[in-house]
Amino acid sequence: MARVQFENIYKRFGKVEVVHDVSFDIKDKEFMVLVGPSGCGKSTCLRMVAGLEEPSEGQIYIGDRMVNGVDPKDRDIAMVFQNYALYPHMTVFDNMAFGLKLRHYPKAEIKKRVEDAAGQLGLENLLKRKPKELSGGQRQRVALGRAIVREAQVFLMDEPLSNLDAKLRVETRANIIKLHQRIQTTTIYVTHDQVEAMTMGDRIAVLNGGVIQQLGTPQDLYDNPANMFVAGFIGTPTMNFIPGAKVVGEGDLTKLVLEGIGQIEVPAELAKRARDAASRELTFGIRPSHLEDATLIGESSTRSSIDGTVDVVENLGNELQVYLTAGGKSLIATLDPRSRAVPGNKIRLYVESDRIHLFDTATGESIF
Ligand SMILES: Nc1ncnc2c1ncn2[C@@H]1O[C@H](COP(=O)(O)OP(=O)(O)OP(=O)(O)O)[C@@H](O)[C@H]1O
Ligand SMILES: [Mg+2]
């Protein structure tokens, strides 16, 4: 097992730069997720660790060894691909044994490792089958098994769940987490799905346009997004953004005024940051779950609230997903089911003022 380091990595294909100055340090045994929209450079980063691409600039380390120029087969990594690429004419056993046979492991050792891995993945009874006789989830487990038997220092997984249906994705996701808890191999996991990233990662690196936007624990990214990209990418339903927020001071009190929509009291500990940013164009941010029907809150609610008109109410039983329009902006609020939100009616939403966010509209950078 080993740590993996990227030091100022750039990758260009011809003149096009697809990875810009990416640095990170993945700790031994850590489960690191690279997440970001399609084309942001996730697979390219992973392929550089695997040795399938060489960086244009910068160094990659696996353990203490700089691996630039090292052949993929000498890097001691195991990779699971999106399309799991099983050999159709081979049994499950032979698919899992293939990499070990290539490396001339003794027969008894191969048998032991394959049987161990099959046990861990619940494949014991399927070893004689061919891939076409397996379900999607079983095939996925064989692909994982093929990686596990190698007992490599680092696992690389590129969207390994993307071919599975929703239920199986959730199940397999949990299996991969359990597996990692047991064998603790350093893992780099690539996905474009923020829920996968949040549920699986010890830490998450959010990539956009080949640049790391933020690297942190799932809770860090959720609570303290570094910019509007991360704020909008992490969390479902996505954060509401209202541009044109004005910082107004009234004695000791600092407020954010959203013209025609409402106003929010800025908590004392954030007041200075808000006032310092007052001359900039600002965008207010609030997550749907940090809004509530003001009639359910009482007195204090009027001090921090947003007024809108309800468009659609979706009742999920434990909560209402309410789509509304406020000052011409579409917003989403996740409300208590006791809310009487009715399509076409006005609604006042209480804003949890200690969960508010403020961004520089021009740069997207977070002020808090
Ligand atoms: N061999 C190549 N030659 C030229 N451009 C490439 C090559 N491989 C990747 N790219 C480009 O580099 C960028 C990053 O690609 P990459 O495959 O890393 O994206 P990704 O984040 O994995 O996306 P997805 O979620 O769609 O898999 C894309 O714009 C892609 O078109
Ligand atoms: Mg990819």
Side-chain angles (χ1 to χ4, degrees):
M1 275 169 256
R3 65 197 275 219
V4 177
Q5 274 173 283
F6 266 43
E7 272 185 16
N8 308 102
I9 293 294
Y10 291 79
K11 177 66 185 175
R12 298 176 200 102
F13 292 108
K15 285 195 184 126
V16 186
E17 191 163 284
V18 301
V19 174
H20 314 274
D21 197 15
V22 165
S23 296
F24 51 66
D25 187 350
I26 302 170
K27 297 191 217 77
D28 184 28
K29 301 184 182 157
E30 193 170 25
F31 197 106
M32 172 72 103
V33 178
L34 298 183
V35 69
S38 182
C40 71
K42 306 177 295 290
S43 295
T44 305
C45 285
L46 206 64
R47 291 168 58 81
M48 287 192 284
V49 180
L52 303 171
E53 301 284 358
E54 274 301 314
S56 308
E57 271 181 58
Q59 280 89 43
I60 299 179
Y61 293 84
I62 298 179
D64 297 326
R65 182 163 72 134
M66 211 257 281
V67 294
N68 295 48
V70 174
D71 204 78
K73 73 174 178 0
D74 300 324
R75 291 192 182 202
D76 205 7
I77 47 108
M79 189 149 171
V80 182
F81 296 94
Q82 172 176 344
N83 56 7
Y84 27 87
L86 300 178
Y87 299 105
H89 58 286
M90 288 185 194
T91 62
V92 166
F93 183 98
D94 289 334
N95 264 287
M96 285 168 66
F98 189 72
L100 301 177
K101 279 187 186 156
L102 271 187
R103 287 172 180 78
H104 307 294
Y105 278 71
K107 249 192 163 154
E109 174 72 15
I110 294 178
K111 184 163 183 292
K112 180 177 174 306
R113 287 200 189 189
V114 170
E115 282 171 359
D116 273 2
Q120 297 200 40
L121 293 163
L123 293 169
E124 308 94 318
N125 301 321
L126 304 174
L127 287 171
K128 294 205 176 92
R129 295 215 198 156
K130 301 265 176 68
K132 68 170 190 307
E133 300 160 327
L134 302 175
S135 71
Q138 290 165 339
R139 281 181 218 165
Q140 189 56 57
R141 278 184 272 152
V142 177
L144 282 172
R146 202 165 45 174
I148 298 173
V149 294
R150 299 267 314 282
E151 297 179 3
Q153 291 205 63
V154 180
F155 283 163
L156 306 175
M157 304 190 186
D158 194 349
E159 311 240 10
L161 308 185
S162 52
N163 286 340
L164 306 181
D165 66 38
K167 183 162 174 283
L168 212 52
R169 275 179 90 110
V170 173
E171 233 173 82
T172 312
R173 187 168 89 194
N175 277 332
I176 293 178
I177 298 169
K178 267 192 265 170
L179 186 71
H180 180 257
Q181 282 164 357
R182 205 159 47 223
I183 60 181
Q184 303 216 326
T185 304
T186 311
T187 302
I188 312 179
Y189 185 99
V190 160
T191 178
H192 61 270
D193 178 344
Q194 64 91 19
V195 176
E196 244 169 60
M198 290 294 280
T199 50
M200 299 180 85
D202 292 324
R203 286 191 301 159
I204 301 173
V206 181
L207 268 178
N208 191 31
V211 177
I212 292 196
Q213 304 292 311
Q214 189 170 5
L215 198 162
T217 63
Q219 200 68 54
D220 272 348
L221 301 193
Y222 183 85
D223 291 339
N224 302 305
N227 55 40
M228 283 173 72
F229 180 83
V230 176
F233 193 78
I234 299 287
T236 42
T238 186
M239 187 185 282
N240 296 297
F241 294 116
I242 303 176
K246 296 273 179 286
V247 180
V248 175
E250 282 175 6
D252 282 349
L253 200 63
T254 303
K255 294 194 288 193
L256 293 176
V257 175
L258 310 170
E259 179 94 54
I261 296 178
Q263 58 179 42
I264 294 101
E265 267 186 31
V266 179
E269 63 276 17
L270 300 175
K272 181 168 185 323
R273 277 191 259 169
R275 288 187 183 217
D276 288 349
S279 63
R280 299 195 246 169
E281 288 280 317
L282 298 172
T283 295
F284 170 73
I286 187 82
R287 294 194 187 278
S289 53
H290 301 146
L291 296 168
E292 191 49 272
D293 184 336
T295 59
L296 302 177
I297 303 285
E299 206 55 50
S300 67
S301 63
T302 47
R303 295 203 287 174
S304 293
S305 63
I306 287 177
D307 291 321
T309 305
V310 176
D311 296 322
V312 174
V313 177
E314 292 175 352
N315 189 343
L316 305 178
N318 62 332
E319 62 188 28
L320 305 181
Q321 204 87 274
V322 176
Y323 297 79
L324 61 141
T325 309
K329 276 285 297 172
S330 297
L331 305 179
I332 304 179
T334 306
L335 305 183
D336 189 287
R338 288 171 302 150
S339 161
R340 301 252 161 73
V342 173
N345 283 8
K346 299 230 174 302
I347 188 165
R348 173 159 289 182
L349 295 173
Y350 163 71
V351 177
E352 280 183 44
S353 59
D354 52 351
R355 306 306 296 266
I356 60 175
H357 296 272
L358 194 63
F359 302 94
D360 181 315
T361 306
T363 63
E365 180 200 337
S366 167
I367 291 155
F368 53 72

